[in-house]
Amino acid sequence: MPIDEAIAPVIALIMGLIFIPLVLAATSRLGLYTIVKEREAQVYTLFGRVLGVLDEAGLRFPLLHFGFPALLTPFFGKRYLVDTALRQYYLRDQMVNSEEGTPMGVGIWYEMRVSNPEAFLFRNANPDGSLQANVASSTISTLSNLEMDKMLEDRHQLSREVRATVSPLSEKWGYQLGSVYIRKVAFTDRQMVDNITEKVVKRLVQVTSAMKQDGENRVGLIRSQTAFKVSQRMAEAAAARPAVVGEALNAIARQDPEVLNAVLDILENEQLIASGAEVDVLPRDCPVLLQLGGGGQGSTPAHPAAAALKAAADLSRLGPYAG
């Protein structure tokens, strides 16, 4: 095989590696094709007029989308690349005054993306700066002359109001405004900070004392209710006791009357002993002393129940003489 025929494929490969990129670059410059990246839009203009927008990622052929005018774009028009990725900004120390006249610094965080590349390019010379100014001015107008408590506590609601205020104008400029959040509300006056800190500490002490007192009141209420229920139950039990005892005594009386009499005697003696009355114990075979002592010479019972007990004991001792 001749040497020329052997190196011909190599030369062809080298020439292909060199010329193919040149051909692709030339066709791209002529606008025959373009590659749209993710989160990117390409705006084509011709003679000062917008031909169209390519915003879907991938290989695209402007000739198929815009027709023959797309071939004139590289010579008489322009292609704009617009980043449509989500962007986040934070505006620090936006000064506002509360209703009490306190100067305060506000931090605003917001996110946005370009939703209309054509409006973004041609409806505002500085859309980013205009959007930031719009967000800042809307925040200041929304928060100014508000009560300090509302400004500190209702930031979520205020953020939604700011977003609702800014969104219509931002859409005209080609933006889609995402979340807006008033991230920080700070006091700029050091003395004011100290005063507020002192008030907060006092308020915390008051709240703590109120909570403690409320807890003690609740405990006292629970205790009183418990004591009331216990006393109520005890009264019910005391009221039911006679009926229970009566039923028991009736049952004993039906079975054995002597046992009942013994029980009654025991109960009577217990009552007598519990009363603390003075009791005289006499021999069984001394009826004379009983007749003499019953007159009250030095051994008079101090309680009627004791006297009755004594009389009953005497009668029991006298036996046949009692009649």
Side-chain angles (χ1 to χ4, degrees), residues 149-183:
D149 295 341
K150 184 177 180 60
M151 193 180 302
L152 294 174
E153 298 174 359
D154 297 342
R155 286 185 290 174
H156 181 65
Q157 181 64 28
L158 295 173
S159 300
R160 295 176 63 181
E161 294 181 6
V162 172
R163 184 179 185 279
T165 304
V166 177
S167 290
L169 190 56
S170 64
E171 291 177 356
K172 292 182 179 178
W173 295 338
Y175 286 116
Q176 181 181 6
L177 194 63
S179 300
V180 178
Y181 184 64
I182 300 173
R183 185 178 177 183

Side-chain angles (χ1 to χ4, degrees), residues 21 43 81 89 93 98 112 116 163 204 211 217 222 267 275:
V43 181
L81 302 180
Y89 296 93
D93 297 332
S98 65
M112 48 75 67
N116 189 343
R163 184 179 185 279
L204 288 176
M211 293 176 64
N217 294 337
I222 293 173
L267 294 175
S275 65

Side-chain angles (χ1 to χ4, degrees), residues 39-319:
R39 300 296 181 183
E40 182 187 74
Q42 297 183 3
V43 181
Y44 286 79
T45 61
L46 180 63
F47 301 124
R49 186 173 63 87
V50 178
L51 283 180
V53 180
L54 297 177
D55 54 3
E56 294 184 4
L59 180 63
R60 295 288 178 267
F61 299 96
L63 185 62
L64 299 178
H65 291 275
F66 312 129
F68 178 74
L71 299 177
L72 302 178
T73 301
F75 306 101
F76 306 103
K78 188 174 181 181
R79 186 186 62 164
Y80 296 90
L81 302 180
V82 179
D83 185 7
T84 60
L86 187 67
R87 308 177 207 175
Q88 298 177 343
Y89 296 93
Y90 183 62
L91 304 179
R92 301 177 182 275
D93 297 332
Q94 303 298 313
M95 299 304 299
V96 298
N97 290 324
S98 65
E99 186 183 39
E100 297 83 358
T102 304
M104 306 181 73
V106 178
I108 312 155
W109 175 88
Y110 67 94
E111 60 183 11
M112 48 75 67
R113 60 181 291 272
V114 176
S115 59
N116 189 343
E118 181 180 350
F120 171 76
L121 289 174
F122 304 112
R123 290 187 182 178
N124 194 318
N126 185 11
D128 285 343
S130 298
L131 180 61
Q132 291 183 8
N134 191 15
V135 172
S137 60
S138 299
T139 303
I140 293 172
S141 62
T142 302
L143 270 65
S144 294
N145 298 324
L146 285 179
E147 296 180 359
M148 187 181 300
D149 295 341
K150 184 177 180 60
M151 193 180 302
L152 294 174
E153 298 174 359
D154 297 342
R155 286 185 290 174
H156 181 65
Q157 181 64 28
L158 295 173
S159 300
R160 295 176 63 181
E161 294 181 6
V162 172
R163 184 179 185 279
T165 304
V166 177
S167 290
L169 190 56
S170 64
E171 291 177 356
K172 292 182 179 178
W173 295 338
Y175 286 116
Q176 181 181 6
L177 194 63
S179 300
V180 178
Y181 184 64
I182 300 173
R183 185 178 177 183
K184 180 180 179 182
V185 178
F187 299 97
T188 57
D189 189 353
R190 184 62 188 173
Q191 185 177 0
M192 179 65 69
V193 174
D194 295 338
N195 294 336
I196 291 176
T197 303
E198 184 178 359
K199 290 182 180 179
V200 170
V201 172
K202 291 181 178 178
R203 181 58 179 165
L204 288 176
V205 173
Q206 292 176 355
V207 171
T208 303
S209 300
M211 293 176 64
K212 183 178 179 181
Q213 185 63 39
D214 182 67
E216 292 178 353
N217 294 337
R218 289 176 182 271
V219 171
L221 180 61
I222 293 173
R223 286 180 177 175
S224 62
Q225 291 177 349
T226 304
F228 171 73
K229 291 181 179 178
V230 170
S231 62
Q232 188 177 13
R233 298 298 182 188
M234 292 296 291
E236 292 177 357
R241 181 175 179 274
V244 175
V245 173
E247 292 179 358
L249 293 177
N250 290 332
I252 296 173
R254 286 193 296 271
Q255 295 178 0
D256 193 346
E258 293 182 357
V259 176
L260 176 62
N261 293 330
V263 171
L264 292 177
D265 291 341
I266 293 172
L267 294 175
E268 187 176 0
N269 291 333
E270 287 181 354
Q271 293 293 329
L272 181 61
I273 294 172
S275 65
E278 184 179 355
V279 177
D280 293 335
V281 180
L282 300 176
R284 181 179 294 273
D285 52 351
C286 55
V288 178
L289 293 177
L290 177 62
Q291 293 176 358
L292 296 176
Q297 296 178 359
S299 61
T300 303
H303 195 272
L309 178 63
K310 182 178 180 181
D314 294 340
L315 290 174
S316 62
R317 294 188 197 102
L318 291 176

